[in-house]
Amino acid sequence: MSHRSVPQIWHTLGHVDIVHGLYYLIMRGVFGLWDGGLVALRLPSVLAVAAAAVGIVRLGQRLGGTWTGLLAGLVFPLLPPVQRYAQEGRSYALICALITWASCLLVSSLSRPGRRGWVAYGAVILTACLLHEFAVLMLLAHGVTVFRARLARPVTRAWSIAAGGVLAGLLPLAAFSTTQSAQVDWIGVPDAGEVLGFVATALLGVALARFAGRARGPVTVSALALPLLILPSTLLMLTSPLHPLYVDRYVLASAIGFALLAGSMLDRLRVSARGAGTTQRVACAVALAAVLATLVPVSTALRQPGSRKNDAVAIARAVQDIAEPGDGLLFMPSRRRVWTLARPDSFRSLSDRALEQTPVASNTLFGRELPPDRIRERILNSARVIAVRDLEGQPLDANAREAVKRSTLDAHFEECASRTVTQARITVYARPGHC
């Protein structure tokens, strides 16, 4: 998307991915400055996590003291979700950085109210919301912090005006994105593991809040951190009976709250250890070592290709390994054509039997496919077809194009070989007796 022209991006956003439009344009600017491939794709996320860590140091320092800030800033990049999205070419790390610095501006404006501070706060958090509209959940968490602090009415009024400006600026995007809501139909109801994981994290956060230090201003560490940690995920999970929307990366900025609470707790342990005996100091050291010993294996695993659900490079290599010149190619469903975009050269010797217009030519993400009867005709003109499919057990798309792909292969071809690569199943089909 980011290698397309601005008009092409604009036309594509008219019917798909409007929620990621600003990120595509930012990355187009990055590639315009330096087309460094995967490094250029991922570098903004790396820098964003670094910027967020610096912001958390500053935030913790203002709320709890120098050591609280320093320790929170060290905890933040160790958290597994943060490590994952620091590596990926997505908008979520940037959103995390913006929410961190918006929180800094919030704390500053609550201590020393001023028009410039509130305008800056609103601008930063609006930018985060325009990168992904669910960042507005962090604004709601800030609202809980502001109104629970029982500040003077002019201060709460100023926050309300800033928040109203953010909502007004976000409204056009939010309204238009509802026309593309089918894009999130893949999201399922949170499973038991996700719910239990969130509940455990929330309870741990509440326990850590008991160790938070005294307030150094109008807001305490726990007053800011707990709503950020708990409220966004809770709200998304509560929508599940109506329309499932919970995905962990949508609430990545909640990690800011956990890092602040952990930093405050570690600071309390540090202070306690200074006046404690040898046994207590050893216990604190063992506890810290245990935390690091838990995180290091997770960190290592996150840096392996197998940690990715969709390794597009590995999928392209697997297709290249089994393909023969002139083979037909099918994507089942059509949205899996996106896997070709990482390594398009790997598929050039194959003929996409369903494709009418490429993703770029059709201003789409997945291309435009032929009518069902033409797809059937083109499949039957192939001696061999390589099908790139979802794993067994995934729901099958019910539209006519997908149905004709499946029925034609089942009726006129036999399965010769199949290979699973992350979330893709790559199957070779051939006419009976020609495997």
Side-chain angles (χ1 to χ4, degrees):
M1 281 292 288
S2 295
H3 280 87
R4 300 182 187 184
S5 68
V6 173
Q8 286 174 326
I9 294 174
W10 180 256
H11 288 308
T12 303
L13 297 179
H15 50 83
V16 69
D17 255 8
I18 186 67
V19 294
H20 299 304
L22 178 58
Y23 180 66
Y24 291 153
L25 293 171
I26 289 172
M27 292 307 301
R28 189 182 190 283
V30 171
F31 287 126
L33 292 172
W34 175 49
D35 198 350
L38 289 176
V39 177
L41 175 68
R42 293 170 176 167
L43 186 60
S45 294
V46 176
L47 297 177
V49 168
V54 172
I56 287 172
V57 171
R58 181 181 177 87
L59 193 56
Q61 183 179 20
R62 290 190 66 107
L63 294 174
T66 300
W67 276 99
T68 293
L70 179 60
L71 292 166
L74 292 172
V75 166
F76 176 75
L78 292 177
L79 298 176
V82 175
Q83 292 193 24
R84 174 175 180 177
Y85 292 106
Q87 302 174 53
E88 294 199 0
R90 297 177 186 247
S91 62
Y92 305 106
L94 277 69
I95 294 167
C96 210
L98 289 167
I99 296 298
T100 300
W101 285 96
S103 300
C104 290
L105 290 166
L106 173 66
V107 171
S108 177
S109 296
L110 293 178
S111 301
R112 290 176 292 179
R115 181 175 298 178
R116 289 184 179 179
W118 287 116
V119 169
Y121 167 76
V124 172
I125 204 164
L126 175 59
T127 304
C129 292
L130 294 176
L131 279 169
H132 196 287
E133 57 194 13
F134 284 169
V136 75
L137 298 171
M138 305 300 162
L139 176 69
L140 300 181
H142 282 171
V144 172
T145 299
V146 170
F147 285 98
R148 286 190 63 192
R150 298 181 180 178
L151 302 166
R153 184 171 296 178
V155 177
T156 57
R157 185 186 301 119
W159 179 86
S160 299
I161 293 171
V166 172
L167 295 176
L170 179 61
L171 183 60
L173 173 65
F176 191 80
S177 69
T178 60
T179 66
Q180 301 176 2
S181 60
Q183 278 194 268
V184 292
D185 285 348
W186 60 270
I187 301 175
V189 175
D191 59 32
E194 290 175 316
V195 174
L196 290 174
F198 166 66
V199 170
T201 302
L203 291 176
L204 179 58
V206 172
L208 292 175
R210 298 184 61 185
F211 293 91
R214 295 180 179 178
R216 295 168 62 92
V219 175
T220 63
V221 171
S222 58
L224 178 70
L226 276 179
L228 284 174
L229 177 63
I230 296 174
L231 184 65
S233 295
T234 300
L235 292 175
L236 281 188
M237 286 190 173
L238 289 176
T239 67
S240 294
L242 300 175
H243 195 307
L245 291 171
Y246 176 79
V247 181
D248 61 350
R249 59 179 176 266
Y250 294 169
V251 290
L252 180 64
S254 295
I256 300 166
F258 187 87
L260 288 170
L261 292 168
S264 181
M265 183 272 293
L266 291 172
D267 187 19
R268 289 289 298 274
L269 286 178
R270 179 191 65 84
V271 172
S272 299
R274 284 170 55 188
T278 303
T279 302
Q280 288 87 345
R281 293 182 183 180
V282 170
C284 289
V286 169
L288 289 174
V291 171
L292 290 175
T294 302
L295 289 175
V296 168
V298 174
S299 173
T300 303
L302 284 168
R303 282 159 177 75
Q304 304 299 319
S307 70
R308 298 301 186 263
K309 290 184 178 180
N310 295 309
D311 187 345
V313 174
I315 293 168
R317 287 174 179 162
V319 171
Q320 195 172 30
D321 288 343
I322 63 176
E324 298 177 1
D327 280 353
L329 181 65
L330 284 177
F331 294 94
M332 303 167 61
S334 61
R335 59 181 173 273
R336 297 309 174 210
R337 191 173 283 106
V338 74
W339 287 334
T340 69
L341 303 183
R343 293 286 179 92
D345 290 342
S346 301
F347 298 86
R348 293 203 190 282
S349 64
L350 305 176
S351 174
D352 192 327
R353 309 313 287 165
L355 186 64
E356 181 177 24
Q357 282 187 300
T358 65
V360 174
S362 60
N363 291 318
T364 64
L365 291 179
F366 317 122
R368 182 171 290 116
E369 295 198 335
L370 293 161
D373 57 338
R374 290 282 292 124
I375 293 175
R376 183 178 186 277
E377 178 185 336
R378 295 191 67 189
I379 294 174
L380 292 175
N381 286 334
S382 305
R384 278 182 20 129
V385 174
I386 296 176
V388 181
R389 304 181 290 171
D390 284 338
L391 298 180
E392 290 281 4
Q394 295 296 312
L396 299 175
D397 287 29
N399 66 72
R401 289 178 173 86
E402 299 302 329
V404 80
K405 293 176 192 176
R406 295 192 295 267
S407 63
T408 305
L409 290 175
D410 290 343
H412 301 281
F413 291 77
E414 59 184 21
E415 185 175 320
C416 300
S418 190
R419 178 189 300 184
T420 298
V421 181
T422 62
Q423 296 294 301
R425 186 160 48 108
I426 302 164
T427 304
V428 179
Y429 287 90
R431 292 289 194 169
H434 291 82
C435 280

